[in-house]
Amino acid sequence: MALFKKDKMNHHVTENTYQNHLDVMRANYHENIITSKSLSKPLWLRLNRKDALNIIYRDKDIVFRNGQVYYASIVQANELLFDASNKIDLPANFLYSTHPIAEKYPEFLTELSEEIFYYKGMPEDQVPEYLHELVRIITDERDRSAVDFTISMTNPENPDEEINDIDIHFCSLIVFRKDIPNQVLCGTHFPVLAVPELSPAVIILPKEYWTAPFYDINLGL
């Protein structure tokens, strides 16, 4: 698979699996790490210095230099991000996991994201207890709180086995349109750069590092 990046990209997909695509994006990024990158700050954020999303600008170099590439799934995003005619960089909520199971089967992140969004705006007594805080945050829409928790799930490769303590990270980020294909959100899974042990900031991996199916938003996996 070709990569939409300069000729110096050396790694290519050999198997059309989530794991292999992630491995390739990681390998190419770590051979071409961003050591410094200017991130534009939209007017709505410049007018609100107390908005927690400002941490992205404070910690961006930490994330670029030390971050690992993970799969993330959209929980919710500003609706204008789905409009190609709008060019403003806007916020979104994502889930990602550093657990190895998320490298091979990131679909469970989408299922969890959809479950969280389903309960948006519902009375608390109708929301599963473990989702209370997440639903409160997305209902508020201006709350940038990060939430770390764990879940258990059936092993996709062995239905008789349970996988426990899968780390889940709920975060707010800014979608920088120039870093995503066609400058519009499309699809459910996105590669992101994160280093949760050093910073809560999360940045979508610039599209130049994406493998072709992710770039085309047509995974076929």
Side-chain angles (χ1 to χ4, degrees):
M1 287 286 188
L3 280 157
F4 293 77
K5 181 61 178 172
K6 303 179 181 70
D7 292 338
K8 58 185 177 183
M9 286 298 184
N10 296 319
H11 302 274
H12 306 281
V13 172
T14 56
E15 298 178 7
N16 198 30
T17 63
Y18 281 113
Q19 181 74 69
N20 192 222
H21 282 280
L22 185 63
D23 289 343
V24 169
M25 288 187 278
R26 283 178 171 174
N28 280 311
Y29 183 74
H30 289 301
E31 284 192 1
N32 300 273
I33 289 175
I34 297 171
T35 56
S36 180
K37 180 179 171 70
S38 175
L39 298 177
S40 60
K41 183 176 287 192
L43 178 61
W44 58 266
L45 189 58
R46 295 201 302 270
L47 295 174
N48 189 355
R49 294 182 179 180
K50 293 185 178 181
D51 192 312
L53 283 172
N54 281 290
I55 199 171
I56 293 171
Y57 299 86
R58 187 196 75 182
D59 290 356
K60 65 182 179 66
D61 289 341
I62 293 174
V63 176
F64 284 132
R65 293 173 182 172
N66 302 283
Q68 178 62 283
V69 182
Y70 300 105
Y71 283 132
S73 176
I74 299 174
V75 178
Q76 75 170 3
N78 187 295
E79 62 182 10
L80 293 178
L81 288 169
F82 302 98
D83 179 0
S85 67
N86 187 286
K87 302 303 180 184
I88 302 174
D89 297 331
L90 292 161
N93 298 119
F94 276 72
L95 290 179
Y96 75 95
S97 175
T98 69
H99 195 282
I101 196 66
E103 300 179 3
K104 298 176 69 175
Y105 302 99
E107 300 97 331
F108 81 88
L109 292 171
T110 298
E111 294 174 0
L112 182 56
S113 296
E114 291 173 348
E115 181 182 11
I116 295 167
F117 189 76
Y118 171 80
Y119 289 106
K120 180 179 178 179
M122 287 191 182
E124 188 175 273
D125 61 1
Q126 296 181 27
V127 180
E129 185 174 354
Y130 79 103
L131 296 180
H132 280 179
E133 180 66 0
L134 301 174
V135 172
R136 183 195 66 76
I137 293 168
I138 67 168
T139 300
D140 179 277
E141 293 191 347
R142 292 182 180 274
D143 190 328
R144 313 301 190 194
S145 299
V147 180
D148 298 331
F149 59 104
T150 61
I151 65 169
S152 299
M153 62 179 281
T154 301
N155 187 342
E157 298 176 349
N158 183 359
D160 295 325
E161 179 181 303
E162 190 84 356
I163 303 176
N164 299 311
D165 299 322
I166 300 172
D167 65 290
I168 305 292
H169 304 271
F170 172 90
C171 65
S172 296
L173 54 74
I174 298 173
V175 178
F176 296 103
R177 288 179 179 269
K178 68 178 182 179
D179 286 336
I180 59 175
N182 302 315
Q183 300 189 27
V184 64
L185 276 186
C186 187
T188 56
H189 302 102
F190 289 79
V192 298
L193 283 167
V195 53
E197 65 272 21
L198 297 180
S199 171
V202 177
I203 300 172
I204 293 177
L205 181 72
K207 64 180 182 294
E208 290 81 7
Y209 295 92
W210 296 16
T211 53
F214 277 88
Y215 196 100
D216 296 335
I217 315 299
N218 181 20
L219 301 183
L221 297 175

